[in-house]
Amino acid sequence: MIVEICGIDGSGKSTLIDNLRGRIHTESPCWAYERVFRFRTKRFMDWIAQSEGEATARSLFPNDTVQLAQAFDLVEEAVREFHYDTMDSRQVYFVTNYRASGLAEAYVAASALLEPMTKVYALAPVPALLLYLKLPPEDALARIQARPQGDQLLRAASPLDALTSLSGAFEYVIESTTYPHVTLDATMPAADLAECAFDAIQQVNTHLVAAF
């Protein structure tokens, strides 16, 4: 089964996935994985841009072109990766940069391609569950600034404005999501957040309630 976890930067997606994987492995007969999409065309576009003396693909190519390339890359890889996936599988795949995230980014950019990109993302395998980590942008920025490695978002002219725009976009996307989805308060402690997320996943996969 596919579980999509989305939210603005700093909302705790990686921490939640780590906690859920550990719990699934110790408390159920299931296996949990994190699947990261490579966006190969976007990487190729970055390489072309850098060979022309630009920093990233968006410095050389129209933003709509980059986002559409990412959408096609994601769908192609997801269809190939999850071809044999079933809703009640004993394998749980966690994904972050997936359907909701792609649509939220397109919404922020006010892309003219938002409608066609929605149709492209609709071709990706549907998650059994979408978990949205809701966090105030101010809290997210404080978390990002506290990270030892920093974050690319901090290079934005106004990181808080960027987070606020993305937060609003996620609210729009979540409201229009038709498959099972749950909004979680990402301000709660990591252990409590993992508990709520695990309970939500149990509701859609009965294997997770089976004991060894």
PDB file of all heavy atoms in Angstrom, residues 134-172:
ATOM      1  N   LYS A 134      -0.029  19.290   9.279  1.00  0.00           N
ATOM      2  CA  LYS A 134      -0.358  20.716   9.297  1.00  0.00           C
ATOM      3  C   LYS A 134       0.451  21.418  10.375  1.00  0.00           C
ATOM      4  O   LYS A 134       0.396  21.054  11.554  1.00  0.00           O
ATOM      5  CB  LYS A 134      -1.856  20.905   9.548  1.00  0.00           C
ATOM      6  CG  LYS A 134      -2.316  22.348   9.449  1.00  0.00           C
ATOM      7  CD  LYS A 134      -3.836  22.442   9.541  1.00  0.00           C
ATOM      8  CE  LYS A 134      -4.316  23.873   9.387  1.00  0.00           C
ATOM      9  NZ  LYS A 134      -5.798  23.970   9.396  1.00  0.00           N
ATOM     10  N   LEU A 135       1.207  22.428   9.956  1.00  0.00           N
ATOM     11  CA  LEU A 135       2.072  23.161  10.885  1.00  0.00           C
ATOM     12  C   LEU A 135       2.061  24.640  10.519  1.00  0.00           C
ATOM     13  O   LEU A 135       2.170  24.984   9.336  1.00  0.00           O
ATOM     14  CB  LEU A 135       3.510  22.620  10.789  1.00  0.00           C
ATOM     15  CG  LEU A 135       4.530  23.222  11.760  1.00  0.00           C
ATOM     16  CD1 LEU A 135       4.232  22.772  13.194  1.00  0.00           C
ATOM     17  CD2 LEU A 135       5.950  22.820  11.366  1.00  0.00           C
ATOM     18  N   PRO A 136       1.923  25.542  11.493  1.00  0.00           N
ATOM     19  CA  PRO A 136       1.983  26.973  11.189  1.00  0.00           C
ATOM     20  C   PRO A 136       3.315  27.320  10.526  1.00  0.00           C
ATOM     21  O   PRO A 136       4.372  26.819  10.950  1.00  0.00           O
ATOM     22  CB  PRO A 136       1.855  27.633  12.572  1.00  0.00           C
ATOM     23  CG  PRO A 136       1.107  26.636  13.399  1.00  0.00           C
ATOM     24  CD  PRO A 136       1.598  25.297  12.923  1.00  0.00           C
ATOM     25  N   PRO A 137       3.306  28.146   9.491  1.00  0.00           N
ATOM     26  CA  PRO A 137       4.545  28.500   8.793  1.00  0.00           C
ATOM     27  C   PRO A 137       5.626  29.055   9.724  1.00  0.00           C
ATOM     28  O   PRO A 137       6.820  28.796   9.530  1.00  0.00           O
ATOM     29  CB  PRO A 137       4.086  29.551   7.783  1.00  0.00           C
ATOM     30  CG  PRO A 137       2.659  29.206   7.508  1.00  0.00           C
ATOM     31  CD  PRO A 137       2.123  28.731   8.826  1.00  0.00           C
ATOM     32  N   GLU A 138       5.220  29.820  10.751  1.00  0.00           N
ATOM     33  CA  GLU A 138       6.197  30.385  11.679  1.00  0.00           C
ATOM     34  C   GLU A 138       6.950  29.276  12.424  1.00  0.00           C
ATOM     35  O   GLU A 138       8.164  29.358  12.629  1.00  0.00           O
ATOM     36  CB  GLU A 138       5.509  31.310  12.692  1.00  0.00           C
ATOM     37  CG  GLU A 138       4.860  32.546  12.076  1.00  0.00           C
ATOM     38  CD  GLU A 138       3.491  32.261  11.476  1.00  0.00           C
ATOM     39  OE1 GLU A 138       3.001  31.120  11.602  1.00  0.00           O
ATOM     40  OE2 GLU A 138       2.906  33.202  10.890  1.00  0.00           O
ATOM     41  N   ASP A 139       6.234  28.227  12.833  1.00  0.00           N
ATOM     42  CA  ASP A 139       6.869  27.105  13.522  1.00  0.00           C
ATOM     43  C   ASP A 139       7.788  26.346  12.569  1.00  0.00           C
ATOM     44  O   ASP A 139       8.877  25.907  12.954  1.00  0.00           O
ATOM     45  CB  ASP A 139       5.804  26.150  14.074  1.00  0.00           C
ATOM     46  CG  ASP A 139       5.004  26.763  15.209  1.00  0.00           C
ATOM     47  OD1 ASP A 139       5.317  27.899  15.615  1.00  0.00           O
ATOM     48  OD2 ASP A 139       4.066  26.111  15.697  1.00  0.00           O
ATOM     49  N   ALA A 140       7.335  26.179  11.334  1.00  0.00           N
ATOM     50  CA  ALA A 140       8.143  25.473  10.347  1.00  0.00           C
ATOM     51  C   ALA A 140       9.455  26.209  10.100  1.00  0.00           C
ATOM     52  O   ALA A 140      10.526  25.595  10.031  1.00  0.00           O
ATOM     53  CB  ALA A 140       7.363  25.322   9.050  1.00  0.00           C
ATOM     54  N   LEU A 141       9.388  27.533   9.965  1.00  0.00           N
ATOM     55  CA  LEU A 141      10.595  28.316   9.718  1.00  0.00           C
ATOM     56  C   LEU A 141      11.576  28.203  10.884  1.00  0.00           C
ATOM     57  O   LEU A 141      12.788  28.074  10.679  1.00  0.00           O
ATOM     58  CB  LEU A 141      10.229  29.781   9.481  1.00  0.00           C
ATOM     59  CG  LEU A 141      11.409  30.716   9.172  1.00  0.00           C
ATOM     60  CD1 LEU A 141      12.166  30.246   7.944  1.00  0.00           C
ATOM     61  CD2 LEU A 141      10.909  32.152   8.992  1.00  0.00           C
ATOM     62  N   ALA A 142      11.053  28.219  12.109  1.00  0.00           N
ATOM     63  CA  ALA A 142      11.927  28.088  13.274  1.00  0.00           C
ATOM     64  C   ALA A 142      12.640  26.736  13.267  1.00  0.00           C
ATOM     65  O   ALA A 142      13.835  26.645  13.588  1.00  0.00           O
ATOM     66  CB  ALA A 142      11.108  28.251  14.557  1.00  0.00           C
ATOM     67  N   ARG A 143      11.938  25.683  12.885  1.00  0.00           N
ATOM     68  CA  ARG A 143      12.553  24.353  12.808  1.00  0.00           C
ATOM     69  C   ARG A 143      13.633  24.315  11.735  1.00  0.00           C
ATOM     70  O   ARG A 143      14.711  23.748  11.938  1.00  0.00           O
ATOM     71  CB  ARG A 143      11.494  23.297  12.513  1.00  0.00           C
ATOM     72  CG  ARG A 143      10.512  23.051  13.633  1.00  0.00           C
ATOM     73  CD  ARG A 143       9.542  21.931  13.241  1.00  0.00           C
ATOM     74  NE  ARG A 143       8.540  21.675  14.256  1.00  0.00           N
ATOM     75  CZ  ARG A 143       7.618  20.720  14.160  1.00  0.00           C
ATOM     76  NH1 ARG A 143       7.594  19.942  13.081  1.00  0.00           N
ATOM     77  NH2 ARG A 143       6.735  20.538  15.123  1.00  0.00           N
ATOM     78  N   ILE A 144      13.327  24.905  10.580  1.00  0.00           N
ATOM     79  CA  ILE A 144      14.287  24.894   9.476  1.00  0.00           C
ATOM     80  C   ILE A 144      15.554  25.655   9.852  1.00  0.00           C
ATOM     81  O   ILE A 144      16.671  25.211   9.581  1.00  0.00           O
ATOM     82  CB  ILE A 144      13.643  25.504   8.215  1.00  0.00           C
ATOM     83  CG1 ILE A 144      12.518  24.594   7.715  1.00  0.00           C
ATOM     84  CG2 ILE A 144      14.680  25.710   7.116  1.00  0.00           C
ATOM     85  CD1 ILE A 144      11.660  25.229   6.637  1.00  0.00           C
ATOM     86  N   GLN A 145      15.383  26.796  10.492  1.00  0.00           N
ATOM     87  CA  GLN A 145      16.536  27.610  10.884  1.00  0.00           C
ATOM     88  C   GLN A 145      17.397  26.917  11.934  1.00  0.00           C
ATOM     89  O   GLN A 145      18.596  27.199  12.054  1.00  0.00           O
ATOM     90  CB  GLN A 145      16.061  28.968  11.403  1.00  0.00           C
ATOM     91  CG  GLN A 145      15.477  29.859  10.322  1.00  0.00           C
ATOM     92  CD  GLN A 145      14.833  31.120  10.866  1.00  0.00           C
ATOM     93  OE1 GLN A 145      14.313  31.130  11.997  1.00  0.00           O
ATOM     94  NE2 GLN A 145      14.859  32.198  10.090  1.00  0.00           N
ATOM     95  N   ALA A 146      16.796  25.975  12.684  1.00  0.00           N
ATOM     96  CA  ALA A 146      17.538  25.256  13.722  1.00  0.00           C
ATOM     97  C   ALA A 146      18.278  24.039  13.183  1.00  0.00           C
ATOM     98  O   ALA A 146      19.073  23.429  13.897  1.00  0.00           O
ATOM     99  CB  ALA A 146      16.585  24.833  14.839  1.00  0.00           C
ATOM    100  N   ARG A 147      18.032  23.673  11.928  1.00  0.00           N
ATOM    101  CA  ARG A 147      18.707  22.504  11.360  1.00  0.00           C
ATOM    102  C   ARG A 147      20.186  22.799  11.147  1.00  0.00           C
ATOM    103  O   ARG A 147      20.544  23.851  10.616  1.00  0.00           O
ATOM    104  CB  ARG A 147      18.082  22.132  10.009  1.00  0.00           C
ATOM    105  CG  ARG A 147      16.672  21.583  10.093  1.00  0.00           C
ATOM    106  CD  ARG A 147      16.123  21.386   8.688  1.00  0.00           C
ATOM    107  NE  ARG A 147      14.765  20.858   8.692  1.00  0.00           N
ATOM    108  CZ  ARG A 147      13.996  20.770   7.612  1.00  0.00           C
ATOM    109  NH1 ARG A 147      14.463  21.186   6.435  1.00  0.00           N
ATOM    110  NH2 ARG A 147      12.784  20.284   7.693  1.00  0.00           N
ATOM    111  N   PRO A 148      21.051  21.860  11.511  1.00  0.00           N
ATOM    112  CA  PRO A 148      22.493  22.067  11.296  1.00  0.00           C
ATOM    113  C   PRO A 148      22.850  22.256   9.823  1.00  0.00           C
ATOM    114  O   PRO A 148      23.734  23.041   9.486  1.00  0.00           O
ATOM    115  CB  PRO A 148      23.114  20.779  11.847  1.00  0.00           C
ATOM    116  CG  PRO A 148      22.094  20.238  12.797  1.00  0.00           C
ATOM    117  CD  PRO A 148      20.769  20.611  12.208  1.00  0.00           C
ATOM    118  N   GLN A 149      22.147  21.537   8.937  1.00  0.00           N
ATOM    119  CA  GLN A 149      22.488  21.592   7.515  1.00  0.00           C
ATOM    120  C   GLN A 149      21.784  22.722   6.770  1.00  0.00           C
ATOM    121  O   GLN A 149      22.028  22.918   5.579  1.00  0.00           O
ATOM    122  CB  GLN A 149      22.157  20.253   6.830  1.00  0.00           C
ATOM    123  CG  GLN A 149      20.672  19.993   6.624  1.00  0.00           C
ATOM    124  CD  GLN A 149      20.009  19.348   7.816  1.00  0.00           C
ATOM    125  OE1 GLN A 149      20.487  19.462   8.944  1.00  0.00           O
ATOM    126  NE2 GLN A 149      18.913  18.654   7.591  1.00  0.00           N
ATOM    127  N   GLY A 150      20.898  23.454   7.455  1.00  0.00           N
ATOM    128  CA  GLY A 150      20.204  24.521   6.770  1.00  0.00           C
ATOM    129  C   GLY A 150      19.167  23.989   5.796  1.00  0.00           C
ATOM    130  O   GLY A 150      18.789  22.835   5.824  1.00  0.00           O
ATOM    131  N   ASP A 151      18.723  24.827   4.883  1.00  0.00           N
ATOM    132  CA  ASP A 151      17.706  24.424   3.922  1.00  0.00           C
ATOM    133  C   ASP A 151      17.716  25.396   2.751  1.00  0.00           C
ATOM    134  O   ASP A 151      17.923  26.596   2.926  1.00  0.00           O
ATOM    135  CB  ASP A 151      16.324  24.426   4.593  1.00  0.00           C
ATOM    136  CG  ASP A 151      15.286  23.687   3.774  1.00  0.00           C
ATOM    137  OD1 ASP A 151      14.827  24.253   2.770  1.00  0.00           O
ATOM    138  OD2 ASP A 151      14.947  22.555   4.143  1.00  0.00           O
ATOM    139  N   GLN A 152      17.480  24.867   1.554  1.00  0.00           N
ATOM    140  CA  GLN A 152      17.466  25.707   0.362  1.00  0.00           C
ATOM    141  C   GLN A 152      16.395  26.778   0.443  1.00  0.00           C
ATOM    142  O   GLN A 152      16.525  27.857  -0.141  1.00  0.00           O
ATOM    143  CB  GLN A 152      17.255  24.849  -0.881  1.00  0.00           C
ATOM    144  CG  GLN A 152      17.367  25.607  -2.194  1.00  0.00           C
ATOM    145  CD  GLN A 152      17.275  24.704  -3.397  1.00  0.00           C
ATOM    146  OE1 GLN A 152      17.145  23.496  -3.268  1.00  0.00           O
ATOM    147  NE2 GLN A 152      17.334  25.284  -4.572  1.00  0.00           N
ATOM    148  N   LEU A 153      15.324  26.488   1.183  1.00  0.00           N
ATOM    149  CA  LEU A 153      14.244  27.454   1.321  1.00  0.00           C
ATOM    150  C   LEU A 153      14.735  28.778   1.893  1.00  0.00           C
ATOM    151  O   LEU A 153      14.201  29.839   1.581  1.00  0.00           O
ATOM    152  CB  LEU A 153      13.147  26.873   2.222  1.00  0.00           C
ATOM    153  CG  LEU A 153      11.975  27.798   2.532  1.00  0.00           C
ATOM    154  CD1 LEU A 153      11.048  27.894   1.330  1.00  0.00           C
ATOM    155  CD2 LEU A 153      11.212  27.321   3.744  1.00  0.00           C
ATOM    156  N   LEU A 154      15.772  28.728   2.724  1.00  0.00           N
ATOM    157  CA  LEU A 154      16.270  29.934   3.370  1.00  0.00           C
ATOM    158  C   LEU A 154      16.874  30.912   2.368  1.00  0.00           C
ATOM    159  O   LEU A 154      17.129  32.074   2.710  1.00  0.00           O
ATOM    160  CB  LEU A 154      17.304  29.563   4.439  1.00  0.00           C
ATOM    161  CG  LEU A 154      16.773  28.716   5.605  1.00  0.00           C
ATOM    162  CD1 LEU A 154      17.898  28.358   6.559  1.00  0.00           C
ATOM    163  CD2 LEU A 154      15.653  29.445   6.334  1.00  0.00           C
ATOM    164  N   ARG A 155      17.110  30.458   1.139  1.00  0.00           N
ATOM    165  CA  ARG A 155      17.633  31.353   0.106  1.00  0.00           C
ATOM    166  C   ARG A 155      16.544  32.195  -0.537  1.00  0.00           C
ATOM    167  O   ARG A 155      16.836  33.114  -1.301  1.00  0.00           O
ATOM    168  CB  ARG A 155      18.344  30.533  -0.983  1.00  0.00           C
ATOM    169  CG  ARG A 155      19.550  29.752  -0.475  1.00  0.00           C
ATOM    170  CD  ARG A 155      20.201  28.979  -1.616  1.00  0.00           C
ATOM    171  NE  ARG A 155      21.349  28.212  -1.153  1.00  0.00           N
ATOM    172  CZ  ARG A 155      22.088  27.433  -1.942  1.00  0.00           C
ATOM    173  NH1 ARG A 155      21.793  27.329  -3.226  1.00  0.00           N
ATOM    174  NH2 ARG A 155      23.117  26.764  -1.447  1.00  0.00           N
ATOM    175  N   ALA A 156      15.295  31.882  -0.236  1.00  0.00           N
ATOM    176  CA  ALA A 156      14.186  32.645  -0.802  1.00  0.00           C
ATOM    177  C   ALA A 156      14.206  34.078  -0.272  1.00  0.00           C
ATOM    178  O   ALA A 156      14.720  34.351   0.817  1.00  0.00           O
ATOM    179  CB  ALA A 156      12.858  31.979  -0.455  1.00  0.00           C
ATOM    180  N   ALA A 157      13.655  34.993  -1.052  1.00  0.00           N
ATOM    181  CA  ALA A 157      13.622  36.396  -0.631  1.00  0.00           C
ATOM    182  C   ALA A 157      12.921  36.538   0.717  1.00  0.00           C
ATOM    183  O   ALA A 157      13.350  37.315   1.573  1.00  0.00           O
ATOM    184  CB  ALA A 157      12.923  37.250  -1.696  1.00  0.00           C
ATOM    185  N   SER A 158      11.845  35.788   0.903  1.00  0.00           N
ATOM    186  CA  SER A 158      11.125  35.766   2.181  1.00  0.00           C
ATOM    187  C   SER A 158      10.717  34.327   2.467  1.00  0.00           C
ATOM    188  O   SER A 158       9.663  33.884   1.993  1.00  0.00           O
ATOM    189  CB  SER A 158       9.894  36.678   2.146  1.00  0.00           C
ATOM    190  OG  SER A 158       9.147  36.534   3.354  1.00  0.00           O
ATOM    191  N   PRO A 159      11.536  33.587   3.227  1.00  0.00           N
ATOM    192  CA  PRO A 159      11.204  32.194   3.533  1.00  0.00           C
ATOM    193  C   PRO A 159       9.825  32.034   4.176  1.00  0.00           C
ATOM    194  O   PRO A 159       9.101  31.089   3.863  1.00  0.00           O
ATOM    195  CB  PRO A 159      12.318  31.772   4.493  1.00  0.00           C
ATOM    196  CG  PRO A 159      13.483  32.650   4.132  1.00  0.00           C
ATOM    197  CD  PRO A 159      12.849  33.968   3.782  1.00  0.00           C
ATOM    198  N   LEU A 160       9.442  32.976   5.041  1.00  0.00           N
ATOM    199  CA  LEU A 160       8.140  32.864   5.700  1.00  0.00           C
ATOM    200  C   LEU A 160       7.005  33.010   4.699  1.00  0.00           C
ATOM    201  O   LEU A 160       6.015  32.265   4.749  1.00  0.00           O
ATOM    202  CB  LEU A 160       8.007  33.913   6.803  1.00  0.00           C
ATOM    203  CG  LEU A 160       6.695  33.874   7.600  1.00  0.00           C
ATOM    204  CD1 LEU A 160       6.498  32.513   8.254  1.00  0.00           C
ATOM    205  CD2 LEU A 160       6.675  34.983   8.647  1.00  0.00           C
ATOM    206  N   ASP A 161       7.140  33.940   3.763  1.00  0.00           N
ATOM    207  CA  ASP A 161       6.112  34.106   2.733  1.00  0.00           C
ATOM    208  C   ASP A 161       6.010  32.846   1.874  1.00  0.00           C
ATOM    209  O   ASP A 161       4.909  32.422   1.499  1.00  0.00           O
ATOM    210  CB  ASP A 161       6.424  35.311   1.847  1.00  0.00           C
ATOM    211  CG  ASP A 161       6.171  36.636   2.556  1.00  0.00           C
ATOM    212  OD1 ASP A 161       5.538  36.618   3.631  1.00  0.00           O
ATOM    213  OD2 ASP A 161       6.619  37.669   2.030  1.00  0.00           O
ATOM    214  N   ALA A 162       7.170  32.253   1.554  1.00  0.00           N
ATOM    215  CA  ALA A 162       7.176  31.042   0.733  1.00  0.00           C
ATOM    216  C   ALA A 162       6.465  29.900   1.458  1.00  0.00           C
ATOM    217  O   ALA A 162       5.669  29.167   0.859  1.00  0.00           O
ATOM    218  CB  ALA A 162       8.612  30.642   0.401  1.00  0.00           C
ATOM    219  N   LEU A 163       6.730  29.754   2.748  1.00  0.00           N
ATOM    220  CA  LEU A 163       6.078  28.710   3.538  1.00  0.00           C
ATOM    221  C   LEU A 163       4.581  28.971   3.672  1.00  0.00           C
ATOM    222  O   LEU A 163       3.771  28.038   3.620  1.00  0.00           O
ATOM    223  CB  LEU A 163       6.724  28.622   4.923  1.00  0.00           C
ATOM    224  CG  LEU A 163       8.114  27.991   4.986  1.00  0.00           C
ATOM    225  CD1 LEU A 163       8.751  28.249   6.347  1.00  0.00           C
ATOM    226  CD2 LEU A 163       8.044  26.500   4.705  1.00  0.00           C
ATOM    227  N   THR A 164       4.210  30.227   3.844  1.00  0.00           N
ATOM    228  CA  THR A 164       2.799  30.582   3.987  1.00  0.00           C
ATOM    229  C   THR A 164       2.032  30.268   2.694  1.00  0.00           C
ATOM    230  O   THR A 164       0.920  29.726   2.733  1.00  0.00           O
ATOM    231  CB  THR A 164       2.655  32.069   4.334  1.00  0.00           C
ATOM    232  OG1 THR A 164       3.336  32.329   5.574  1.00  0.00           O
ATOM    233  CG2 THR A 164       1.195  32.454   4.487  1.00  0.00           C
ATOM    234  N   SER A 165       2.639  30.586   1.557  1.00  0.00           N
ATOM    235  CA  SER A 165       1.993  30.304   0.275  1.00  0.00           C
ATOM    236  C   SER A 165       1.819  28.807   0.074  1.00  0.00           C
ATOM    237  O   SER A 165       0.756  28.338  -0.364  1.00  0.00           O
ATOM    238  CB  SER A 165       2.821  30.891  -0.872  1.00  0.00           C
ATOM    239  OG  SER A 165       2.861  32.300  -0.801  1.00  0.00           O
ATOM    240  N   LEU A 166       2.861  28.040   0.410  1.00  0.00           N
ATOM    241  CA  LEU A 166       2.783  26.593   0.240  1.00  0.00           C
ATOM    242  C   LEU A 166       1.772  25.978   1.202  1.00  0.00           C
ATOM    243  O   LEU A 166       1.043  25.041   0.844  1.00  0.00           O
ATOM    244  CB  LEU A 166       4.160  25.966   0.450  1.00  0.00           C
ATOM    245  CG  LEU A 166       4.289  24.478   0.107  1.00  0.00           C
ATOM    246  CD1 LEU A 166       3.906  24.227  -1.344  1.00  0.00           C
ATOM    247  CD2 LEU A 166       5.706  23.984   0.370  1.00  0.00           C
ATOM    248  N   SER A 167       1.697  26.520   2.414  1.00  0.00           N
ATOM    249  CA  SER A 167       0.720  26.027   3.378  1.00  0.00           C
ATOM    250  C   SER A 167      -0.700  26.218   2.855  1.00  0.00           C
ATOM    251  O   SER A 167      -1.542  25.317   2.935  1.00  0.00           O
ATOM    252  CB  SER A 167       0.892  26.764   4.714  1.00  0.00           C
ATOM    253  OG  SER A 167      -0.085  26.352   5.653  1.00  0.00           O
ATOM    254  N   GLY A 168      -0.961  27.386   2.285  1.00  0.00           N
ATOM    255  CA  GLY A 168      -2.277  27.632   1.707  1.00  0.00           C
ATOM    256  C   GLY A 168      -2.573  26.715   0.532  1.00  0.00           C
ATOM    257  O   GLY A 168      -3.707  26.261   0.355  1.00  0.00           O
ATOM    258  N   ALA A 169      -1.539  26.410  -0.250  1.00  0.00           N
ATOM    259  CA  ALA A 169      -1.715  25.515  -1.392  1.00  0.00           C
ATOM    260  C   ALA A 169      -2.054  24.106  -0.932  1.00  0.00           C
ATOM    261  O   ALA A 169      -2.915  23.439  -1.527  1.00  0.00           O
ATOM    262  CB  ALA A 169      -0.443  25.497  -2.234  1.00  0.00           C
ATOM    263  N   PHE A 170      -1.404  23.650   0.119  1.00  0.00           N
ATOM    264  CA  PHE A 170      -1.722  22.324   0.643  1.00  0.00           C
ATOM    265  C   PHE A 170      -3.153  22.268   1.161  1.00  0.00           C
ATOM    266  O   PHE A 170      -3.850  21.264   0.977  1.00  0.00           O
ATOM    267  CB  PHE A 170      -0.745  21.929   1.754  1.00  0.00           C
ATOM    268  CG  PHE A 170       0.485  21.236   1.259  1.00  0.00           C
ATOM    269  CD1 PHE A 170       1.739  21.782   1.470  1.00  0.00           C
ATOM    270  CD2 PHE A 170       0.396  20.025   0.580  1.00  0.00           C
ATOM    271  CE1 PHE A 170       2.883  21.143   1.003  1.00  0.00           C
ATOM    272  CE2 PHE A 170       1.526  19.373   0.117  1.00  0.00           C
ATOM    273  CZ  PHE A 170       2.776  19.935   0.326  1.00  0.00           C
ATOM    274  N   GLU A 171      -3.611  23.333   1.797  1.00  0.00           N
ATOM    275  CA  GLU A 171      -4.988  23.367   2.280  1.00  0.00           C
ATOM    276  C   GLU A 171      -5.956  23.210   1.098  1.00  0.00           C
ATOM    277  O   GLU A 171      -6.951  22.480   1.193  1.00  0.00           O
ATOM    278  CB  GLU A 171      -5.260  24.679   3.010  1.00  0.00           C
ATOM    279  CG  GLU A 171      -4.480  24.869   4.299  1.00  0.00           C
ATOM    280  CD  GLU A 171      -4.951  23.948   5.409  1.00  0.00           C
ATOM    281  OE1 GLU A 171      -6.121  23.501   5.369  1.00  0.00           O
ATOM    282  OE2 GLU A 171      -4.157  23.678   6.334  1.00  0.00           O
ATOM    283  N   TYR A 172      -5.642  23.879   0.002  1.00  0.00           N
ATOM    284  CA  TYR A 172      -6.481  23.791  -1.201  1.00  0.00           C
ATOM    285  C   TYR A 172      -6.473  22.367  -1.750  1.00  0.00           C
ATOM    286  O   TYR A 172      -7.530  21.810  -2.090  1.00  0.00           O
ATOM    287  CB  TYR A 172      -5.965  24.774  -2.248  1.00  0.00           C
ATOM    288  CG  TYR A 172      -6.547  24.567  -3.634  1.00  0.00           C
ATOM    289  CD1 TYR A 172      -7.811  25.057  -3.966  1.00  0.00           C
ATOM    290  CD2 TYR A 172      -5.829  23.870  -4.602  1.00  0.00           C
ATOM    291  CE1 TYR A 172      -8.340  24.860  -5.233  1.00  0.00           C
ATOM    292  CE2 TYR A 172      -6.357  23.664  -5.872  1.00  0.00           C
ATOM    293  CZ  TYR A 172      -7.605  24.158  -6.178  1.00  0.00           C
ATOM    294  OH  TYR A 172      -8.125  23.949  -7.422  1.00  0.00           O
TER     295      TYR A 172
END
